[in-house]
Amino acid sequence: MALRTIVCFAKQNPRLVSVYELRMATISAPESNQLDFQIERKCRFCDHDLTHSFVDLGLSPPCENVRLPADMDKQEVFFPLHVFLCDSCWLVQLREYIAPDDIFVEYAYFSSMSESWLAHARKYADDMVARFGLDSSNQVIEIASNDGYLLQNFVRMKIPALGVEPAINVARVGEEKGVRSINKFFGVQTAKEIVADGIRADLLLGNNVLAHVPDLNDFVGGMKVVLSPQGVITMEFPHLLRLMENRQFDTIYHEHYSYLSLLTVQKVFEHHGLRVFDVQELASHGGSIRVFATHEECSQHPRLDAVDNLLRTELAAGLNTLGAYQAFRGEVEALKFDILSFLIKAKREGKTVAGYGAPGKGITLLNYCGIRSDLMPFTVDRNEYKQGTFMPGTGIPVFSPDYLRDVKPDYVFILPWNLKKEIMQQMEDIRSWGSKFVVPIPALEVL
């Protein structure tokens, strides 16, 4: 009966089956009458069998789905947040439970909402111009250019800039800033089309996009195609080592297909004829790294000591051994219990805990912990696109930050904890009625 059910599901839902890659190797019925399903999973980089679980956060809806009031009586779809580890290339990865065109074509995240991120982008542009001597004769291309938050700086300096951004709604905002955009997903085919138009990148950049692509080989292969002979790639992404050290489980969500170390990224780049020559450690997003790469055959950019230093740090932390990854699940569970204990205690004491922000990481945290409007009656967000909506999976309503001043909650729970300094400065006046900030990561803290 169970096998018949699976076959019927496959016939009725061929797309889901292909996305999940549910190819049943064996189905056996042991004496306990429990069916044993062995699902074949392959590493998205090296195609090695995935047999090691990193962490299982249960089921969660797509984090950037916007739930309108009219949607609240409709069924909501949840997908697994089960992350696996490849013991061949050490890529930590989430299966492609949701296709990119179901996430990124209409996107709720606008990079320009964060003042600190805008400052980060300005500094990056200034640093790259100074370091590589960029001027009006060079071409800059950003993959996942969002609302033009970064490329507008190169436009201001009269340096040709092109964005590749699949989300039409955010790319339109970038166009208004003078950022020319191509509304496509990036890969080998898009790279060939750009080259056919006579464009190659002297600086090819991507901030928080490398982790967002399910076909990692197609994406990196495309970078090889579009990069000019002496060009430089910079890819910035959250560092897996910091995720593990600081229990940043909420940075796991469906649009983050991969969780990256320098150890693994260097292997991926080398496979596609690209050479990592520098790396920088950054504070953004709870701890990120920026990798610099060029063509393997390019001798213009010598390898710097920073690469080997960080590789040694990762190896010392055991990122090439199974043991380093096995403790993470228990630490995440302990943090979950701490968060729930705080919220339940506040509820019993008659205190109100409001959220600040409606980020993707907040969706993961709330759904994994089972937090609903009984424990957090509302959250607020500066993004007008999210105001008047409800948090996916939880039904928690999202209001303007001004609503905090009307309700005057006892605690403000900062969901985008990576922006806590900026948020605490913006909302400093909540202390006038005795409210306190709460930060959940890396450990629950009342400030």
Side-chain angles (χ1 to χ4, degrees):
M1 181 64 70
L3 179 58
R4 186 180 299 116
T5 300
I6 292 170
V7 173
C8 291
F9 177 82
K11 289 180 178 179
Q12 295 170 8
N13 302 273
R15 181 178 181 186
L16 283 181
V17 172
S18 64
V19 170
Y20 280 100
E21 298 183 8
L22 297 180
R23 292 167 291 190
M24 310 309 294
T26 61
I27 301 179
S28 60
E31 293 181 1
S32 64
N33 293 323
Q34 293 181 351
L35 291 176
D36 178 24
F37 298 101
Q38 295 182 7
I39 301 174
E40 183 181 353
R41 302 179 180 91
K42 296 288 187 180
C43 175
R44 66 170 37 93
F45 167 55
C46 69
D47 207 37
H48 188 72
D49 288 339
L50 294 179
T51 59
H52 302 286
S53 175
F54 176 60
V55 68
D56 186 353
L57 301 179
L59 297 172
S60 187
C63 71
E64 292 297 345
N65 277 10
V66 174
R67 297 279 287 173
L68 299 172
D71 298 327
M72 296 307 290
D73 288 333
K74 299 177 182 177
Q75 182 178 3
E76 194 169 10
V77 180
F78 288 64
F79 297 91
L81 275 180
H82 192 176
V83 185
F84 292 87
L85 167 69
C86 177
D87 60 0
S88 176
C89 68
W90 304 108
L91 177 62
V92 174
Q93 56 201 280
L94 184 69
R95 303 306 297 143
E96 188 186 344
Y97 297 118
I98 309 174
D101 55 1
D102 289 332
I103 299 175
F104 297 112
V105 173
E106 178 78 12
Y107 200 42
Y109 179 75
F110 289 74
S111 296
S112 294
M113 287 296 106
S114 168
E115 293 295 334
S116 61
W117 190 240
L118 288 174
H120 179 83
R122 285 193 297 270
K123 185 177 187 306
Y124 169 86
D126 291 340
D127 288 349
M128 295 305 103
V129 169
R131 178 171 180 176
F132 299 112
L134 302 177
D135 57 29
S136 59
S137 66
N138 296 112
Q139 175 71 56
V140 177
I141 299 178
E142 181 181 11
I143 308 170
S145 53
N146 200 264
D147 59 5
Y149 75 102
L150 188 149
L151 288 183
Q152 63 183 343
N153 297 292
F154 291 101
V155 171
R156 171 176 50 83
M157 292 184 279
K158 309 299 182 184
I159 298 173
L162 174 67
V164 182
E165 172 54 58
I168 297 172
N169 63 320
V170 294
R172 188 179 300 119
V173 176
E175 294 275 1
E176 294 171 358
K177 299 173 182 175
V179 176
R180 179 191 168 200
S181 300
I182 298 174
N183 288 132
K184 289 187 176 182
F185 287 98
F186 184 81
V188 170
Q189 182 57 40
T190 299
K192 288 180 178 179
E193 292 172 6
I194 293 172
V195 172
D197 287 338
I199 300 173
R200 284 183 180 269
D202 298 304
L203 175 63
L204 177 63
L205 70 113
N207 285 348
N208 303 308
V209 62
L210 191 60
H212 288 65
V213 290
D215 194 340
L216 193 58
N217 287 312
D218 181 60
F219 185 88
V220 179
M223 292 198 296
K224 174 74 174 177
V225 170
V226 81
L227 187 66
S228 70
Q230 305 298 320
V232 170
I233 296 169
T234 73
M235 285 285 128
E236 188 173 317
F237 47 85
H239 193 189
L240 173 63
L241 182 59
R242 303 304 167 217
L243 181 153
M244 294 169 62
E245 288 179 340
N246 296 319
R247 303 193 290 183
Q248 298 168 356
F249 73 90
D250 57 343
T251 60
I252 296 170
Y253 37 96
H254 296 108
E255 64 187 66
H256 284 179
Y257 298 103
S258 301
Y259 303 85
L260 302 164
S261 63
L262 177 60
L263 179 71
T264 297
V265 168
Q266 180 173 254
K267 290 180 180 180
V268 176
F269 279 31
E270 286 178 348
H271 178 78
H272 291 278
L274 297 169
R275 176 176 58 83
V276 174
F277 67 87
D278 193 12
V279 63
Q280 296 173 345
E281 296 186 75
L282 309 168
S284 57
H285 295 283
S288 297
I289 57 176
R290 179 184 295 148
V291 170
F292 294 73
T294 188
H295 290 290
E296 187 176 48
E297 59 272 20
C298 175
S299 60
Q300 184 171 330
H301 306 287
R303 182 182 176 101
L304 301 183
D305 291 341
V307 177
D308 295 313
N309 290 340
L310 186 53
L311 285 172
R312 279 193 290 269
T313 298
E314 291 186 344
L315 293 175
L319 293 192
N320 62 338
T321 65
L322 287 174
Y325 300 91
Q326 292 174 341
F328 186 68
R329 180 184 301 183
E331 292 179 1
V332 168
E333 288 179 351
L335 181 53
K336 171 183 178 176
F337 299 148
D338 289 344
I339 292 170
L340 284 172
S341 295
F342 166 78
L343 292 173
I344 292 170
K345 182 174 184 291
K347 179 74 173 183
R348 286 176 171 167
E349 293 175 351
K351 297 184 182 297
T352 302
V353 181
Y356 189 100
K361 54 171 56 72
I363 307 301
T364 294
L365 185 147
L366 295 172
N367 279 281
Y368 172 62
C369 294
I371 298 168
R372 301 295 183 264
S373 57
D374 56 342
L375 294 178
M376 187 177 293
F378 69 91
T379 189
V380 301
D381 200 286
R382 292 181 67 197
N383 187 347
E384 295 181 2
Y385 191 80
K386 294 184 179 182
Q387 293 170 12
T389 68
F390 296 83
M391 297 275 274
T394 69
I396 295 174
V398 184
F399 300 107
S400 163
D402 290 336
Y403 192 62
L404 288 176
R405 299 175 176 97
D406 296 333
V407 177
K408 295 181 172 57
D410 299 289
Y411 298 99
V412 175
F413 194 104
I414 300 177
L415 292 167
W417 45 263
N418 54 302
L419 302 175
K420 66 180 181 181
K421 291 182 180 179
E422 177 181 339
I423 292 168
M424 290 172 66
Q425 289 174 354
Q426 292 171 354
M427 304 302 299
E428 177 63 26
D429 61 319
I430 73 163
R431 299 191 186 281
S432 65
W433 64 79
S435 185
K436 299 178 181 179
F437 292 103
V438 181
V439 179
I441 304 292
L444 187 121
E445 185 178 9
V446 179
L447 303 173

